Amino acid sequence: DEIKPKFRVAWTVYVGWMPWDYAAQSGIMKKWADKLGIEVEIVQLNDYVESINQYTAGKFDGCVMTNMDALTIPAAGGVDSTALIVGDFSNGNDGVVLKGKDKLADIKGQRVNLVELSVSHYLLARALQSIKASEKDIKVVNTSDADIVAAASASDTTALVTWNPQLSEVKKLPTAHEVFNSSQIPGEIIDLMVVNSAKLKANPKLGQALVGAWYEIMELMSSPSPAGVAARTAMAKASGTDLAGFESQLKTTRMFYTPADAVKFTQSPALANTMQQVAEFSFMHGLLGEGAKSAGAVGIATASRTIGASANVKLRFDDSFMQQAVSVKP
Amino acid sequence: MCSVGFRGARFAGTSWGNYSSVAFLELTNVWQEYPDQVVLERLNLMLEAGEFCVVVGASGCGKSTFLRLLLGEERPSRGRVILDGKPLRDEPDAARGVVFQRYSVFPHLTALANVLVALEFKQAPLTARLFGRTRYAATKRAQAMLEAVGLGAAAARYPCELSGGMQQRLALAQALIAEPRVLLLDEPFGALDPGSRADMHVLVRDLWRRHGLTVVMVTHDLKEGFSLGTRLLVFDKVRHDPQAPNAYGSRVTYDLKLRTNPLTPMTHANRAAALRLASIVPGHAAPG
Amino acid sequence: MCSVGFRGARFAGTSWGNYSSVAFLELTNVWQEYPDQVVLERLNLMLEAGEFCVVVGASGCGKSTFLRLLLGEERPSRGRVILDGKPLRDEPDAARGVVFQRYSVFPHLTALANVLVALEFKQAPLTARLFGRTRYAATKRAQAMLEAVGLGAAAARYPCELSGGMQQRLALAQALIAEPRVLLLDEPFGALDPGSRADMHVLVRDLWRRHGLTVVMVTHDLKEGFSLGTRLLVFDKVRHDPQAPNAYGSRVTYDLKLRTNPLTPMTHANRAAALRLASIVPGHAAPG
Amino acid sequence: MRKLINWRPAKGALAALGCAPFVLVLIAYMVASQARLEVNPNDKMLPAFASFSAAITRVAIEPDRRTGERLLWVDTAASLRRLGLAIAISAVIGLTLGMALGALPIAGASLSPLVAGVSLIPPLAILPILFIVVGLGELSKVVLICIGITPVITRDIEQRVREIPRELIVKAQTLGASTWQIMLRVVLPQALPRLVSALRLGLCSAWLFLIAAEAIAAESGLGYRIFLVRRYLAMDVILPYVLWITAVAYLTDYVLGWISRRAFRWHFLGQLQ
Amino acid sequence: MRKLINWRPAKGALAALGCAPFVLVLIAYMVASQARLEVNPNDKMLPAFASFSAAITRVAIEPDRRTGERLLWVDTAASLRRLGLAIAISAVIGLTLGMALGALPIAGASLSPLVAGVSLIPPLAILPILFIVVGLGELSKVVLICIGITPVITRDIEQRVREIPRELIVKAQTLGASTWQIMLRVVLPQALPRLVSALRLGLCSAWLFLIAAEAIAAESGLGYRIFLVRRYLAMDVILPYVLWITAVAYLTDYVLGWISRRAFRWHFLGQLQ
Ligand SMILES: Nc1ncnc2c1ncn2[C@@H]1O[C@H](COP(=O)(O)OP(=O)(O)OP(=O)(O)O)[C@@H](O)[C@H]1O
Ligand SMILES: Nc1ncnc2c1ncn2[C@@H]1O[C@H](COP(=O)(O)OP(=O)(O)OP(=O)(O)O)[C@@H](O)[C@H]1O
Ligand SMILES: [Mg+2]
Ligand SMILES: [Mg+2]
């Protein structure tokens, strides 16, 4: 018989992306792929940035990432990418933590440990905006996400920005206070499954398979049934915590459990505004590449409108596959 | 100032090679110049098969350079060297055997393997190792050669388990099993104590006679030269420029025929010449 | 089998020390045993001030062990060693000077600094460096000592820029400037070529006479022993157990008084004894 | 009183003296741990020994709940496989290249500068490039280690081969040896003991690169585990893993040394001279 | 035809031969870059040379838009400061400890096993502990480098000091030297040339640890920049940085070598023997 087309997608550990691990472990991904006559390999990587780099270099056909990284790494690198699934947005999963102080305003003049140029950096910028301050008032110290917990324990560390699960570890420190978190900028830090636009166009079945598997798991994951608990427990294990810890992280994550939810979010004009802000932040920090003359150098297509250069659209929010899932049942 | 040695009947070796009896090794107007220095100049020399030629001279006068020339390690800047009628090959090969003062045996091989390896080089071009019957035959030959230099009992020992004298015996055995046309020795006993030195003299003289070798030996020890050689060459600078000490090279200043056979004592005339020489060549003891 | 040497009038050194004239160094029933081997057994020996005592013996018979014992590097397993009436200190100190065959000078210091450093050790306990006037005075003394061993012109050179013979001269100069009560030499000329060796003999004999030293010298070269020493000790195993070759140690098998002054020739009787000895001690050439 | 430099501990005291500092370190740790735990019983920095034994039981004896594997052994096997493969590849390349560079003047003249240049590039700096070029699979880890240690091994062997006395090469030629035969019977055997010591030295860096590579992309391995649990500051797992790595590193080193001493007796005899 | 082993390139050809591989590498890069850029003009993986010169101008000549600093020089200064401090500290500790362990039997017996053990611990694995103990500031980077290279330097010096012929130590004592004087005038001067060569070797690892430390927590430095711009795959910055690091590493090594040859002439004279 004929050779099935093969695809590889990458994922890294994060509460909103654990379903991908479950898709691979439970065989749900294989079921959908078989049904559509393709093969999809789901690969876990340890390092988030490296996974996006690999995707950008063409080693993977799809990869999980945030909206900001989708813009600044593959899209700015000329790889036309499509946000196939809008899985969730951070609703408290990212936070600014001060040690010994409890007001955001106290952050001024401090050295802030965070993963520079990541969504943490963006969150910090938004937090500073909210108190009419700017990055000039603080000093950013680039700190790897794997070491941020250890960094937080160090006595000379006074301020940091990070995400879960590290955030919950940091918050356990006796003197730590969370002074700002992503629930104060809802819908701005979005977790996506991004696939290569050209690959997707040539193989729509890849999109169908990924979306199909995802929403089957979403239904299971949101159900209070024993099967749902078992699925969540498996995800908790895989992310190195237990069910309680996982569910507490889920509380600060706004999951789109139904395709309809996700479609609605994707079509709202708010998404376009968010991406506008992200593009401006990225341009200001030189993330759009040196060729970029303005925040609009890299075009972003959303359902409501296209932001920036329409001749150079490299990031597309495409809800068509999720819409198919609204109607289709496995 | 240059005295040419006596010519006469030569000791005829019971050789295994098929040497012609005149001009076995011939140097014609050979110069060795380096960018900063002339080491040897206008060297003219004829050596016959079976001669035991000893080269002496002050330190740095170019004795080792002369040997390296004969080895083919260096090409003369001018002039030609003829070995047995053919121009000398300009790299070391099996036609010339050599024993240096140090580093003349392979430290990673036992005494036996050190001798055996010469046969392996010859008989196994690709693997450089022998197996089975050929190995057995070669081992027997190597062991016999070890016995001949008095190392029969030390076959399984590594060089660094041997005394300095034993190492040099081994180096000789190794050189001889390759059946060279001419054997070059660069201060082979320079690092030995007087006892071993005397033993080695006996051995070398004996090997020379039995194998009918042609030998060129460099030494610091004039006495050694007198007691071993059939012919003695003294290298020295003839011309000196105090402003440029490196401008001129050494030549052969004495070329002395000592005897026809190293077992015969020196002739009266030679002994007189030797004594005269000893008083001229600086830093050397009188011949015993 | 043990022949005790002749006793008689001793050469009185024009010493700078204040040596008593009897039993300057005394060993009483000294044994040196290692877990696997007895090296020296039942050593009884009296040395007088100003003696030049030469020790010969086969390789591995314990000559160096004997010197290490005198140095204080090893403690005897049994027996006592008395130096100048007091028990020998059990670690090397300035009372005993030493020259080894190799590694006797500091490679990182120039010839002058090598000699100077001995004075610096003595005069600057904390910094081991001299400055200003004291340094000037010490340098002058060191330079004079270098001249005395014929190295005046090589003061600024590093040991590895010196020939083997010059290095040993330097080692002697260095040892002597510390004014040791007794000078220990372990094959000091073993690595030298015959020419330098002869020069060194002249130097050592001269220094010994001028400084009135007490010397214990180990050598492989019996001839050297005969020509330098006032007394000759031969170390050898008296008892042998073929089953356990290490069960018994060496003793002094010959103790021979050669002369009262190294410049006088050997007496007729001694010469006869020496010749007899040479034929017994294996691997040694007859005395010249 | 003898001078300090002449104080030699008795045979019997040697072991005790050598152990003493380790015991002191242990005691210091216990005191510090106790102090921290009294302030905050949930402190993860310096766990009590009970936590260690619990963690060790969990990773080494009980099968993992999710995968059913005994993590420590799976990790060790994965790391050692990578390390072994990388060491083998580096040894072969380093030996071949080093011998060529050291023994053949023409090869040395043309390639030595390149190798010298490459050996100065810090491999961690090109880690991002490496991942792009060779991907994130097993290969990338092996390649990172190889890139890290091969130039060093090559230069070490080259240096050693250059130190072979010219006399020996000449001697071999006078015994009729060709270039190939000289490489095989003179240069190779003398380079081998050096290769082993270069590998022993290289193992230190190899572990470093292995851990760095596993930290970024892996599913198992000792370095992977340490970086994984580092996110939660699980020192009760990290410290035993570190000690285990140290022990494995020591063992590898010891085994290499032992093999070397047995296989190259002539070399070690020579060193005594 | 001479044997290959006897082929010696002429003096004039040496430079050409040495350069050739570098030129080949350059050409290979240009071809590969061209090919990728034809497929995707925005490709960041193998930038064209024009992108490099633009990137270099940006980081080395124009002030940064955000901070107003010339990044390359700020980064270089930061990295070299850390490196220099760490090397200095390691040299002092390594020299003192190594001399003690090598020259005093009693110190060697009690501390050698500990140092050997510590030198086997991969420093990257104990980073979290380090952060807790010394914090995240400059100190942590310096300490990481020190932990990485001090044991190696110590063992190297120890080894070297042990190799000093026993005869020289005895000789010094017969000249009346005390332990302290022997350390000062015999052991120290002979350990110094080895220290420099140990440092030159150690610099390679030092750069590794520096980059690792800067990748984890920093605000400037060469390693920091590489790992930061890795976020957006800016190979046009990474590659020049890597080459710059290599050049700086080469220069440091060269300067150390030059100083060593001048200061320890006796040592290099001796090596020729
Ligand atoms: N490749 C070379 N390039 C330049 N000069 C050289 C070279 N080889 C030898 N020389 C010089 O040639 C001179 C003679 O050296 P050679 O080794 O032949 O002397 P020698 O007579 O063997 O001395 P010794 O008795 O000390 O062994 C020396 O001054 C040496 O520096
Ligand atoms: N520390 C030691 N432990 C065990 N055995 C030793 C020790 N020192 C020396 N020996 C043994 O003592 C014997 C005598 O050694 P020593 O060096 O004194 O001989 P030697 O007479 O100086 O020999 P040579 O003439 O070769 O220098 C040797 O067999 C040696 O192996
Ligand atoms: Mg010579
Ligand atoms: Mg001895």
Side-chain angles (χ1 to χ4, degrees), chain C residues 35 72-75 89-93 102, chain D residues 1-8 11 272-273:
Chain C
E73 256 209 291
E74 315 241 4
R75 246 182 279 214
R89 202 159 146 210
D90 65 349
E91 60 177 348
D93 64 9
R102 296 189 308 160
Chain D
M1 267 293 278
R2 290 176 132 201
K3 297 180 203 110
L4 188 56
I5 208 166
N6 292 324
W7 283 15
R8 277 161 209 292
K11 279 258 165 69
L272 294 179
Q273 277 195 320

Side-chain angles (χ1 to χ4, degrees), chain C residues 99-151:
Chain C
V99 173
F100 299 105
Q101 179 172 350
R102 296 189 308 160
Y103 307 123
S104 285
V105 290
F106 301 119
H108 59 284
L109 297 177
T110 61
L112 182 64
N114 253 297
V115 179
L116 188 61
V117 77
L119 299 174
E120 292 183 305
F121 284 146
K122 198 169 287 175
Q123 297 171 28
L126 207 67
T127 58
R129 284 191 186 275
L130 294 175
F131 304 93
R133 281 250 298 286
T134 51
R135 182 183 182 86
Y136 180 76
T139 307
K140 257 180 92 171
R141 251 186 83 193
Q143 181 71 36
M145 182 55 88
L146 277 183
E147 313 273 0
V149 300
L151 288 180

Side-chain angles (χ1 to χ4, degrees), chain A residues 161-183:
Chain A
V161 188
T162 188
W163 55 77
N164 266 328
Q166 290 95 317
L167 180 62
S168 54
E169 290 290 331
V170 171
K171 283 201 290 194
K172 282 184 199 158
L173 291 174
T175 56
H177 300 279
E178 193 183 58
V179 292
F180 190 85
N181 70 33
S182 51
S183 68

Side-chain angles (χ1 to χ4, degrees), chain B residues 152-218:
Chain B
R157 273 146 82 185
Y158 284 104
C160 59
E161 295 173 301
L162 303 176
S163 72
M166 289 164 94
Q167 286 185 21
Q168 293 304 77
R169 280 165 194 272
L170 179 58
L172 277 172
Q174 191 186 41
L176 289 181
I177 207 162
E179 302 180 355
R181 323 288 308 264
V182 46
L183 183 63
L184 308 172
L185 309 174
D186 194 352
E187 301 191 37
F189 319 127
L192 304 185
D193 59 273
S196 330
R197 199 181 269 252
D199 295 348
M200 289 301 288
H201 289 172
V202 174
L203 175 70
V204 163
R205 200 184 282 144
D206 184 50
L207 290 172
W208 172 65
R209 269 204 318 144
R210 277 200 287 139
H211 292 295
L213 295 168
T214 310
V215 178
V216 179
M217 172 169 117
V218 164

Side-chain angles (χ1 to χ4, degrees), chain E:
Chain E
M1 267 289 279
R2 290 177 135 201
K3 298 182 204 107
L4 187 58
I5 208 165
N6 291 324
W7 285 15
R8 277 162 210 291
K11 278 259 165 67
L14 266 181
L17 272 174
C19 289
F22 289 97
V23 174
L24 285 180
V25 168
L26 261 187
I27 292 175
Y29 179 89
M30 275 162 63
V31 171
S33 160
Q34 190 87 35
R36 277 191 83 101
L37 285 172
E38 263 164 27
V39 177
N40 172 7
N42 280 332
D43 181 69
K44 288 177 157 185
M45 214 58 61
L46 303 178
F49 281 100
S51 319
F52 283 131
S53 68
I56 294 170
T57 315
R58 209 164 65 235
V59 295
I61 297 167
E62 291 168 5
D64 183 52
R65 270 185 293 187
R66 215 144 56 91
T67 58
E69 289 164 333
R70 286 172 179 80
L71 295 182
L72 182 66
W73 309 115
V74 174
D75 288 339
T76 308
S79 287
L80 285 185
R81 201 171 45 242
R82 289 164 191 153
L83 208 61
L85 198 60
I87 291 279
I89 295 173
S90 304
V92 170
I93 299 179
L95 185 63
T96 321
L97 204 56
M99 275 171 52
L101 295 188
L104 307 178
I106 199 94
S110 44
L111 289 178
S112 272
L114 185 69
V115 173
V118 168
S119 75
L120 283 169
I121 299 176
L124 284 187
I126 54 165
L127 261 182
I129 309 171
L130 197 66
F131 286 149
I132 306 298
V133 178
V134 299
L136 270 181
E138 287 301 283
L139 192 58
S140 69
K141 290 155 205 109
V142 173
V143 171
L144 178 70
I145 301 176
C146 288
I147 289 184
I149 65 174
T150 308
V152 184
I153 294 179
T154 307
R155 295 187 72 188
D156 208 349
I157 301 279
E158 176 188 351
Q159 185 57 35
R160 174 41 159 245
V161 170
R162 272 190 219 280
E163 280 168 13
I164 294 179
R166 179 81 201 145
E167 282 92 335
L168 290 185
I169 308 292
V170 170
K171 180 83 187 205
Q173 295 187 57
T174 64
L175 300 179
S178 65
T179 298
W180 167 249
Q181 288 180 320
I182 292 174
M183 289 303 234
L184 211 60
R185 294 296 311 267
V186 181
V187 177
L188 177 65
Q190 301 211 35
L192 279 178
R194 185 56 173 217
L195 176 68
V196 178
S197 55
L199 286 183
R200 289 173 72 182
L201 263 175
L203 263 173
C204 270
S205 339
W207 275 102
L208 279 179
F209 293 119
L210 178 72
I211 289 173
E214 287 183 344
I216 285 169
E219 337 141 18
S220 60
L222 298 166
Y224 159 82
R225 193 70 54 196
I226 287 180
F227 273 77
L228 183 67
V229 301
R230 174 177 87 111
R231 263 204 100 79
Y232 50 99
L233 222 63
M235 298 299 273
D236 55 343
V237 176
I238 294 182
L239 278 179
Y241 261 71
V242 168
L243 289 184
W244 174 241
I245 291 178
T246 310
V248 172
Y250 176 80
L251 209 75
T252 335
D253 185 62
Y254 183 85
V255 168
L256 275 179
W258 186 82
I259 292 177
S260 167
R261 272 191 303 278
R262 299 219 48 159
F264 311 117
R265 199 167 66 83
W266 64 271
H267 182 70
F268 294 90
L269 281 171
Q271 284 192 332
L272 294 180
Q273 275 195 322

Side-chain angles (χ1 to χ4, degrees), chain B residues 18-239:
Chain B
N18 187 16
Y19 306 153
S20 81
S21 80
V22 279
F24 177 62
L25 183 68
E26 185 175 358
L27 282 80
T28 320
N29 191 30
V30 165
W31 292 63
Q32 188 61 40
E33 295 158 317
Y34 295 113
D36 54 338
Q37 181 174 9
V38 180
V39 177
L40 299 174
E41 58 176 46
R42 215 189 303 164
L43 232 55
N44 286 296
L45 200 67
M46 299 237 274
L47 245 77
E48 293 171 32
E51 268 190 302
F52 194 127
C53 173
V54 177
V55 178
V56 296
S59 195
C61 74
K63 304 183 296 297
S64 298
T65 305
F66 174 63
L67 272 207
R68 278 208 305 282
L69 237 147
L70 296 187
L71 256 178
E73 256 209 291
E74 315 240 5
R75 245 182 280 217
S77 325
R78 306 185 224 168
R80 316 176 292 149
V81 185
I82 306 281
L83 176 67
D84 209 5
K86 288 183 283 291
L88 196 80
R89 200 157 148 214
D90 66 347
E91 60 178 348
D93 63 9
R96 290 148 286 176
V98 70
V99 173
F100 300 105
Q101 180 172 349
R102 296 188 309 158
Y103 307 124
S104 286
V105 289
F106 301 120
H108 59 286
L109 298 177
T110 61
L112 182 64
N114 253 297
V115 179
L116 188 61
V117 77
L119 301 174
E120 293 183 305
F121 284 146
K122 198 168 285 174
Q123 298 172 25
L126 207 68
T127 57
R129 283 191 187 276
L130 294 176
F131 303 94
R133 283 249 299 284
T134 50
R135 183 184 183 83
Y136 180 76
T139 307
K140 258 180 90 171
R141 253 185 82 193
Q143 181 70 36
M145 183 53 89
L146 278 183
E147 314 273 359
V149 299
L151 288 181
R157 273 146 82 185
Y158 284 104
C160 59
E161 295 173 301
L162 303 176
S163 72
M166 289 164 94
Q167 286 185 21
Q168 293 304 77
R169 280 165 194 272
L170 179 58
L172 277 172
Q174 191 186 41
L176 289 181
I177 207 162
E179 302 180 355
R181 323 288 308 264
V182 46
L183 183 63
L184 308 172
L185 309 174
D186 194 352
E187 301 191 37
F189 319 127
L192 304 185
D193 59 273
S196 330
R197 199 181 269 252
D199 295 348
M200 289 301 288
H201 289 172
V202 174
L203 175 70
V204 163
R205 200 184 282 144
D206 184 50
L207 290 172
W208 172 65
R209 269 204 318 144
R210 277 200 287 139
H211 292 295
L213 295 168
T214 310
V215 178
V216 179
M217 172 169 117
V218 164
T219 178
H220 249 99
D221 189 359
L222 193 57
K223 202 174 135 195
E224 186 171 274
F226 279 119
S227 80
L228 279 181
T230 61
R231 187 169 171 190
L232 185 85
L233 303 178
V234 180
F235 278 34
D236 205 356
K237 288 194 184 185
V238 180
R239 303 183 291 171

